[in-house]
Amino acid sequence: MTYFGAAGWRMTDGETVVLVDPWPSRLKYGGGGHPDDDRPDFARTDLAWADTALIDELIPEADFILVQHGHFDHLGDVPYIARKTGARVIGTETVIMILRAYGVPDDQLYAVHGGEDYQFENFSVRVVPGLHSALNERHYHDTRRYDTDTPLEAPLRIEQFIEGGSLSFLARLGGRRVLTMGSMNFIEREFEGLEPDILLAGINGSRLGLYDYDRRLLTATGFPAVVLPTHWDNFRLPYGYSQEAGVERNLVPFIEAAREISPGSTVITPVHLEPIVIR
């Protein structure tokens, strides 16, 4: 397992490479950057841009890409990665329509709704219906969707990368069951019975607006053996910048809560781009 930041991961059993919401570009957009970061500032009305040189360095290959929703920090780099690697991409119809606009071939694209359970050669994945984080003090709500009648012409503006519905995935790879999260929210009944070995737990601050989030999450997922926090960092900062604020605000309280709620779980703090070997 390798953490790209935001909700992005690479997982592999040594044969099959599965990416989840890979976004190495980490553009400085919409505020929240650092004064020492001299990269260009992007507005949400600007055309989307990908750091292809960095992507080439970090992602030489991929077999599958799981996209949990269509926001730019989840999908922004996927068009380039999919075209470059030929990876098969699984996501909502909104996600698939954006990728088609960028010229990703149809035979690489799998539109899903939630509830599907697909078997591939050395990999299987169950698509789990989800919810987006309760942003803006729980006022966030976006019902927009793209479909085959939606005119889209790439390149899109950052603001055109809409949510389009949210998903989680139960990825089965190398004898492990990995439950992904792309948001700080979930549908409790959809997680019950999945019993992942590894949980990618969304733990950014917006989870605090939800009732008893940490306990409900760890209980619904069956107190997983390994918990890897995800989407906790400031994803507008480039790699190498301090993430201490996110560690103190998001990671430390979650680790302390998990120690009490699920003492049998091992919570591993991911460091950007440093592989985590789970045996």
Side-chain angles (χ1 to χ4, degrees):
M1 308 286 299
T2 303
Y3 185 44
F4 288 128
W9 290 84
R10 176 186 187 268
M11 62 180 85
T12 182
D13 61 355
E15 296 181 3
T16 302
V17 176
V18 180
L19 306 180
V20 183
D21 292 4
W23 191 56
S25 292
R26 299 174 67 85
L27 298 192
K28 185 169 62 171
Y29 78 96
H34 191 282
D36 294 338
D37 180 6
D38 59 2
R39 298 178 304 160
D41 283 294
F42 285 82
R44 295 183 187 277
T45 53
D46 287 335
L47 293 177
W49 179 82
D51 187 341
T52 57
L54 182 59
I55 295 170
D56 288 345
E57 177 184 343
L58 297 179
I59 303 178
E61 60 182 354
D63 298 298
F64 295 91
I65 305 173
L66 310 179
V67 181
Q68 298 175 110
H69 63 265
H71 282 156
F72 186 61
D73 56 305
H74 297 253
L75 182 59
D77 285 348
V78 174
Y80 177 75
I81 296 170
R83 293 196 310 267
K84 159 191 160 74
T85 64
R88 288 173 275 190
V89 187
I90 302 173
T92 64
E93 185 176 24
T94 292
V95 165
I96 297 309
M97 292 309 301
I98 291 173
L99 295 175
R100 282 179 177 154
Y102 277 90
V104 179
D106 278 347
D107 61 2
Q108 290 179 231
L109 302 176
Y110 297 81
V112 292
H113 177 73
E116 298 89 347
D117 203 335
Y118 290 158
Q119 177 69 55
F120 297 94
E121 292 82 7
N122 298 309
F123 167 69
S124 67
V125 59
R126 177 170 172 173
V127 185
V128 183
L131 295 170
H132 194 272
S133 303
L135 302 179
N136 304 327
E137 296 296 327
R138 296 171 295 279
H139 291 290
Y140 175 88
H141 185 64
D142 191 348
T143 59
R144 292 176 298 167
R145 301 290 188 270
Y146 295 153
D147 59 27
T148 53
D149 295 323
T150 306
L152 291 174
E153 185 174 343
L156 302 181
R157 300 183 306 276
I158 290 174
E159 65 184 2
Q160 291 179 282
F161 283 76
I162 63 173
E163 177 201 335
S166 288
L167 303 170
S168 287
F169 295 95
L170 182 69
R172 307 179 189 94
L173 182 68
R176 302 286 187 174
R177 297 160 61 89
V178 183
L179 179 58
T180 75
M181 293 180 69
S183 303
M184 278 50 68
N185 210 344
F186 61 99
I187 302 172
E188 205 162 345
R189 65 180 178 272
E190 297 290 351
F191 278 6
E192 291 173 351
L194 297 181
E195 298 187 351
D197 306 301
I198 302 166
L199 170 64
L200 304 183
I203 65 154
N204 214 322
S206 59
R207 83 185 197 281
L208 301 177
L210 299 173
Y211 172 72
D212 206 12
Y213 178 95
D214 296 342
R215 185 176 302 277
R216 289 193 303 114
L217 174 60
L218 293 169
T219 302
T221 53
F223 308 108
V226 177
V227 178
L228 300 175
T230 191
H231 220 333
W232 57 267
D233 64 330
N234 182 347
F235 55 76
R236 293 175 176 84
L237 298 180
Y239 297 125
Y241 276 61
S242 173
Q243 291 288 342
E244 189 61 28
V247 169
E248 293 299 320
R249 181 179 60 249
N250 300 319
L251 278 175
V252 171
F254 176 78
I255 291 170
E256 291 175 349
R259 187 178 296 122
E260 175 186 338
I261 298 165
S262 184
S265 298
T266 299
V267 181
I268 300 174
T269 299
V271 177
H272 292 155
L273 308 182
E274 292 190 9
I276 300 168
V277 179
I278 299 174
R279 303 186 185 282

